[in-house]
Amino acid sequence: MLTSRVIFFILIPIFQRKNSVRLPKFDYHCPETVREACSVLKEHKGNAKILAGGTDLLVAMKQRAKKPAHLVSLRKIKELKGFEYLSGKGLKIGPMSTLQSVAKADIIIKKYPILSLAADSVASQQIRNTGTIGGNICLDSRCWYYNQTQLWRDAKPLCFKTKGSVCHVIKGSNRCNAVFSSDTATALMALNAKVKILNSEGTSKTIPLDEFYSKTGEPVNILKEDEILTEILIPEDSQDGKSSFSRLAFRDGIEYPIANTAIKITLENNKVCRDARIVTGAVTSFPIRTTEAENMLKGKKISADLINEVAKAASKEIKVIPYLWASPSYKRKMAETLVKRGIEKVLDFI
Amino acid sequence: MKRLIKLKVNGDIYEVAIEPSRTLLEVLRENLQYTGTKKSCETGTCGACTVLINGVPVLSCLVLAFEAEGMDILTIEGISEKGSLHPIQESFIKHGAIQCGHCTPGMIMLVKGLLDKNPMPNRDEIKKALAGNFCRCTGYKKIFEAVEAVSEGK
């Protein structure tokens, strides 16, 4: 009788508490300017994280994959929200704009439709209503050994993401092989977007999105501990030509992509390709622009044979990392198909 | 460190002293006893904890209570008027779109958010909107029928 009471009233609550999905303790900061946010980040160097929408970070924290002592919420910073179109310069997007607002904004649907499609394909409506485009660009890479509960992670030696020195995805690899699965980053890269970064000293720099990713696995991007992404700029001339966004996932709703491609092609009057950008995302730890495949299109009339060749070249040029049931060879094949269909879709529009 | 915040839930303002690490779901259920909002996966994949914040459906398990300060929070308890059920609730009952009922509050809140913006959604729009809400008992056919019926005013 007594033992059963001990089990019911003492042991079960303790067991439940240990396994519950509550957030670990942290201090919450809610600054009103970007400079203030940067200085809070600097003050708690390495121990603070930026909270934008939180749909990815809070899950990682619940699983104890990330344990920052301080969270810096950006929700009160007005300058990080909204869209501004400057004719001659392009569209400025505040990184704290929710994915749903990006997907439904008239100006984006009209001028940069692939960004709207990409934003609309992320997770579920509820998550798009909370998650931000800045968060989607700065998304952490994912891996089925890392995005697990503490208990699962503890069963294996520390990997590169947990400051260890082995990779469980590709045995013997000397870098992290987690997949970067953002949809909007792929579309933004095809649109030649730039990002503005501000640090705690108050100096800012604007770099092409392509250079924002470290391409070395972990860390995923070049954002330093005291830096914040303050602006996304899509140049005016990215409106030229036609574009398409394609995405493959195990199911349509609320799933990370196996691969996604964004393609933008500009034709001259005589239907000769003047410019092309082909970007494939979610296949490795950064979105890849396949310049060799792009060059095959430039200056040529696009035929069915050429499309096949370009798609093959693009699938050879990309790097691939397996993710769950999607093996590298399957991913390459699917990337080829996505590029092929993507170019066909673009030509349909013209 | 605990801090006092004001939360506006279903039109009433509550003052709660909470840790920053508490999610809106935990505060709604444990501090304010709004247990109609269900706790399920807690990692953003099931949609059972959907509430409306400023009229927009969000997952209360992935929103810190601190982040919802000063916003209009609407839970399943707040949608019935003067003791009578909301037309969406009536429609769910009428079409048998409920089995165990655990996913229903989340579904109804999402459908309310959808119909407030788009009163006549087609089947594809309903499917797309409901993609983040899981029903583990059975299929979604009756749920779609219930939503279609209420949008057509039946």
Side-chain angles (χ1 to χ4, degrees), chain A residues 83-100:
Chain A
F83 315 106
E84 192 185 357
Y85 184 74
L86 302 162
S87 59
K89 262 189 111 180
L91 179 71
K92 272 201 240 172
I93 303 174
M96 280 297 280
S97 310
T98 61
L99 288 163
Q100 189 75 2

Side-chain angles (χ1 to χ4, degrees), chain A residues 37-46 200-201 225-226:
Chain A
C38 285
S39 58
V40 177
L41 285 172
K42 197 187 176 189
E43 196 187 324
H44 305 289
K45 226 169 182 170
S200 56
E201 260 101 65
E225 281 156 347
D226 65 332

Side-chain angles (χ1 to χ4, degrees), chain A residues 145-268:
Chain A
Y145 292 97
Y146 174 68
N147 295 92
Q148 295 290 353
T149 53
Q150 181 98 51
L151 207 67
W152 281 64
R153 267 194 317 278
D154 284 352
K156 279 197 174 265
L158 294 178
C159 74
F160 288 104
K161 270 190 108 63
T162 42
K163 301 206 161 52
S165 55
V166 285
C167 178
H168 305 305
V169 177
I170 297 177
K171 300 271 177 311
S173 174
N174 59 3
R175 51 163 277 180
C176 170
N177 288 294
V179 175
F180 178 72
S181 41
S182 165
D183 286 305
T184 56
T186 311
L188 282 169
M189 232 157 95
L191 292 170
N192 197 16
K194 291 175 176 67
V195 287
K196 194 173 166 189
I197 297 165
L198 186 81
N199 67 11
S200 56
E201 260 101 65
T203 49
S204 67
K205 58 179 173 185
T206 306
I207 54 166
L209 187 58
D210 192 21
E211 289 167 25
F212 181 67
Y213 297 105
S214 70
K215 304 187 171 99
T216 52
E218 182 67 22
V220 182
N221 55 48
I222 57 150
L223 217 55
K224 292 197 186 76
E225 281 156 347
D226 65 332
E227 287 179 335
I228 292 179
L229 186 97
T230 55
E231 196 180 292
I232 302 151
L233 182 81
I234 311 176
E236 172 95 10
D237 59 7
S238 293
Q239 287 178 53
D240 301 348
K242 297 286 176 199
S243 49
S244 72
F245 177 80
S246 337
R247 178 186 203 260
L248 177 76
F250 289 119
R251 57 176 179 208
D252 275 349
I254 192 160
E255 180 62 291
Y256 290 96
I258 297 166
N260 56 32
T261 55
I263 292 165
K264 196 172 86 66
I265 293 173
T266 320
L267 294 186
E268 278 168 351

Side-chain angles (χ1 to χ4, degrees), chain B residues 82-114:
Chain B
K82 290 173 195 156
S84 63
L85 292 178
H86 189 276
I88 303 171
Q89 291 173 307
E90 296 279 11
S91 182
F92 266 62
I93 296 168
K94 197 177 154 197
H95 289 83
I98 300 171
Q99 211 167 87
C100 83
H102 194 79
C103 70
T104 314
M107 296 254 184
I108 288 173
M109 293 319 285
L110 184 110
V111 171
K112 184 170 166 28
L114 170 73

Side-chain angles (χ1 to χ4, degrees), chain A residues 112-130:
Chain A
Y112 312 103
I114 53 169
L115 178 59
S116 163
L117 285 175
D120 203 39
S121 66
V122 179
S124 65
Q125 201 201 104
Q126 293 100 312
I127 290 176
R128 289 194 295 276
N129 282 331
T130 320

Side-chain angles (χ1 to χ4, degrees), chain B residues 38 40 48 96-105 134-138:
Chain B
K38 296 299 173 213
S40 208
I98 300 171
Q99 211 167 87
C100 83
H102 194 79
C103 70
T104 314
F134 283 168
C135 166
R136 307 260 58 187
C137 290
T138 171

Side-chain angles (χ1 to χ4, degrees), chain B:
Chain B
M1 196 178 59
K2 277 192 179 178
R3 229 183 62 193
L4 201 65
I5 61 161
K6 276 184 187 153
L7 286 178
K8 193 177 173 199
V9 186
N10 302 334
D12 298 328
I13 293 173
Y14 297 88
E15 271 194 351
V16 278
I18 49 165
E19 292 273 347
S21 63
R22 302 287 298 283
T23 62
L24 180 60
L25 174 71
E26 289 163 13
V27 174
L28 282 176
R29 288 180 59 87
E30 294 157 17
N31 295 52
L32 308 178
Q33 271 70 49
Y34 281 118
T35 49
T37 305
K38 296 299 173 213
K39 183 174 183 172
S40 208
C41 74
E42 288 190 77
T43 50
T45 47
C46 75
C49 64
T50 304
V51 297
L52 299 186
I53 293 186
N54 292 344
V56 169
V58 301
L59 300 172
S60 59
C61 72
L62 292 185
V63 173
L64 297 180
F66 274 44
E67 298 266 291
E69 193 181 0
M71 296 189 189
D72 254 326
I73 303 157
L74 188 69
T75 70
I76 188 80
E77 288 92 346
I79 67 165
S80 54
E81 285 157 15
K82 290 173 195 156
S84 63
L85 292 178
H86 189 276
I88 303 171
Q89 291 173 307
E90 296 279 11
S91 182
F92 266 62
I93 296 168
K94 197 177 154 197
H95 289 83
I98 300 171
Q99 211 167 87
C100 83
H102 194 79
C103 70
T104 314
M107 296 254 184
I108 288 173
M109 293 319 285
L110 184 110
V111 171
K112 184 170 166 28
L114 170 73
L115 295 182
D116 286 351
K117 282 220 172 68
N118 177 8
M120 294 288 278
N122 60 31
R123 182 61 76 105
D124 285 344
E125 283 165 338
I126 299 170
K127 275 188 181 175
K128 170 114 180 128
L130 278 169
N133 288 69
F134 283 168
C135 166
R136 307 260 58 187
C137 290
T138 171
Y140 297 84
K141 193 167 174 284
K142 289 182 174 179
I143 294 165
F144 294 146
E145 282 168 7
V147 180
E148 276 172 348
V150 73
S151 72
E152 286 155 10
K154 278 178 201 164

